[in-house]
């Protein structure tokens, strides 16, 4: 066999493998994205067309979007989502940064057990603590308030935020912090001027994940709010009525609810990937 022929076969094999993996990746991406694509299309249909006409070719209309906006003010719900999502994320980071710092650099024999206990709280069904939290919020006047929802979302995301920051802090070489201590840096200076700048990608990705989780949370918003502090998840649920599901209006409301977080995620995807891979390659 000529030398050139021997070199062509592995090249073709590698190209075919790469082409196959690319096609598989696109197929999986299209499969995952298809429900969102179908929801957006349905939002531009009339109610009769949404039920009876599943084709991709139709005359688009803004009828459902107009009806949705007339029924309930979108911007009020959107502002509630923004305030609660970003407020709970900020509160979770303020609590989690010193907690993760102490666990990563000042561990005790209870540190591992504490981390496992925090993670185990995520396995608890939310409905199991709904009644006591509802009664407590009712007695202190936090029902249907942004403050109450922010507190619940903070506690809901705190275990994940602490765990992620702990892993990021654990990857940081301790020699850097020890050098700061030798130069006379206090604990606060050590955290603000050494720890935070070095782990900023990890903190940013943790914050972005917390915002996304808070934005998509529906259980607590449906049970602890009614009108004043209801976020977009409650806004979507309002289009499910005893008369049935209004598919076109429900799709239009869902599109309006997920559009901001989709744009936000697209704009911050580089920071998210960079943060999640922080410390993976030394």
């Amino acid at each position: 066999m000529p030398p050139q022929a021997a070199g062509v076969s592995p090249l073709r094999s590698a190209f075919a493998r790469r082409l196959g993996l690319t096609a598989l990746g696109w197929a999986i991406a299209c499969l995952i994205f298809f429900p969102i694509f179908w929801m957006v299309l349905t939002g531009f249909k009339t109610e009769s067309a949404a039920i009876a006409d599943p084709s991709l070719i139709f005359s688009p209309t803004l009828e459902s979007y107009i009806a949705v906006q007339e029924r309930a003010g979108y911007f009020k719900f959107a502002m509630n989502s923004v305030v609660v999502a970003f407020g709970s994320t900020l509160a979770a980071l303020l609590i989690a940064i010193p907690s993760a710092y102490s666990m990563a650099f000042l561990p005790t024999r209870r540190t591992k057990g504490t981390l496992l206990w925090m993670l185990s709280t995520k396995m608890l069904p939310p409905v199991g603590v709904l009644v006591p939290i509802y009664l407590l919020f009712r007695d202190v006047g936090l029902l249907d308030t942004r403050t109450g929802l922010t507190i619940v979302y903070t506690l809901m995301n705190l275990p994940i935020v602490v765990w992620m920051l702990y892993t990021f802090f654990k990857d940081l070489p301790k020699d850097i912090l020890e050098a700061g201590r030798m130069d006379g840096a206090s604990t606060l200076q050590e955290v603000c001027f050494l720890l935070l700048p070095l782990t900023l990608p990890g903190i940013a990705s943790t914050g972005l994940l917390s915002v996304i989780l808070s934005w998509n949370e529906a259980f607590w918003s449906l049970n602890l709010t009614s009108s004043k502090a209801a976020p977009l998840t409650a806004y979507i649920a309002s289009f499910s009525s005893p008369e049935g599901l209004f598919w076109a209006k429900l799709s239009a409301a869902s599109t309006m609810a997920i559009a901001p977080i989709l744009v936000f995620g697209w704009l911050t995807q580089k920071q998210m990937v960079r943060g999640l891979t922080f410390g993976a390659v030394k």
Side-chain angles (χ1 to χ4, degrees), residues 139-163:
D139 294 340
V140 298
L142 289 177
L143 281 180
D144 199 19
T145 63
R146 292 176 177 176
T147 302
L149 209 57
T150 300
I151 293 173
V152 171
Y153 284 8
T154 300
L155 298 176
M156 175 190 71
N157 292 330
L158 192 58
I160 295 177
V161 175
V162 171
W163 260 94

Side-chain angles (χ1 to χ4, degrees), residues 17 21 25 33 37 40 52 111 131-132 147 157 191 209 240 249:
R17 191 183 305 111
L21 290 175
F33 184 74
F37 171 73
V40 174
T111 296
V131 173
T147 302
N157 292 330
V191 172
L209 181 62
S240 174
K249 296 181 180 63

Side-chain angles (χ1 to χ4, degrees), residues 11-24:
L11 184 61
R12 288 181 178 176
S13 177
F15 176 77
R17 191 183 305 111
R18 185 181 302 176
L19 185 62
L21 290 175
T22 302
L24 178 63

Side-chain angles (χ1 to χ4, degrees), residues 79-94:
M79 183 55 64
N80 288 337
S81 287
V82 170
V83 171
V84 172
F86 285 91
S88 62
T89 297
L90 179 60
L93 288 175
L94 290 176

Side-chain angles (χ1 to χ4, degrees), residues 25-227:
W26 275 103
I28 295 174
C30 291
L31 184 64
I32 295 174
F33 184 74
F34 182 77
I36 300 176
F37 171 73
W38 189 258
M39 176 189 68
V40 174
L41 284 185
T42 305
F44 288 99
K45 294 181 178 181
T46 61
E47 285 296 341
S48 58
I51 298 173
D53 185 13
S55 65
L56 297 177
I57 301 175
F58 61 93
S59 298
T61 177
L62 295 176
E63 174 185 318
S64 298
Y65 286 92
I66 296 173
V68 164
Q69 185 59 31
E70 289 177 349
R71 175 175 173 177
Y74 166 79
F75 292 102
K76 181 188 75 171
F77 293 93
M79 183 55 64
N80 288 337
S81 287
V82 170
V83 171
V84 172
F86 285 91
S88 62
T89 297
L90 179 60
L93 288 175
L94 290 176
I95 298 172
I97 288 175
S99 301
Y101 168 84
S102 63
M103 292 180 183
F105 300 110
L106 303 170
T108 66
R109 60 178 182 174
R110 296 185 179 89
T111 296
K112 185 176 181 180
T114 302
L115 285 169
L116 292 176
W117 170 77
M118 293 183 68
L119 192 61
S120 69
T121 60
K122 295 297 295 180
M123 304 175 189
L124 177 69
V127 70
V129 292
L130 172 61
V131 173
I133 289 180
Y134 183 90
L135 295 177
L136 180 63
F137 275 33
R138 183 197 63 184
D139 294 340
V140 298
L142 289 177
L143 281 180
D144 199 19
T145 63
R146 292 176 177 176
T147 302
L149 209 57
T150 300
I151 293 173
V152 171
Y153 284 8
T154 300
L155 298 176
M156 175 190 71
N157 292 330
L158 192 58
I160 295 177
V161 175
V162 171
W163 260 94
M164 290 185 66
L165 292 180
Y166 171 78
T167 58
F168 295 139
F169 292 172
K170 198 71 175 175
D171 288 335
L172 189 68
K174 295 183 179 180
D175 296 341
I176 298 177
L177 300 183
E178 291 176 358
R181 295 192 195 106
M182 292 179 64
D183 289 338
S186 64
T187 302
L188 182 60
Q189 291 173 332
E190 183 181 318
V191 172
C192 294
F193 299 112
L194 291 176
L195 184 66
L196 295 186
L198 291 173
T199 57
L200 189 59
I203 295 174
S205 66
T206 303
L208 294 175
L209 181 62
S210 179
V211 169
I212 293 172
L213 292 175
S214 298
W215 191 280
N216 294 331
E217 173 61 34
F219 177 82
W220 292 110
S221 65
L222 293 176
N223 287 284
L224 298 181
T225 64
S226 57
S227 58

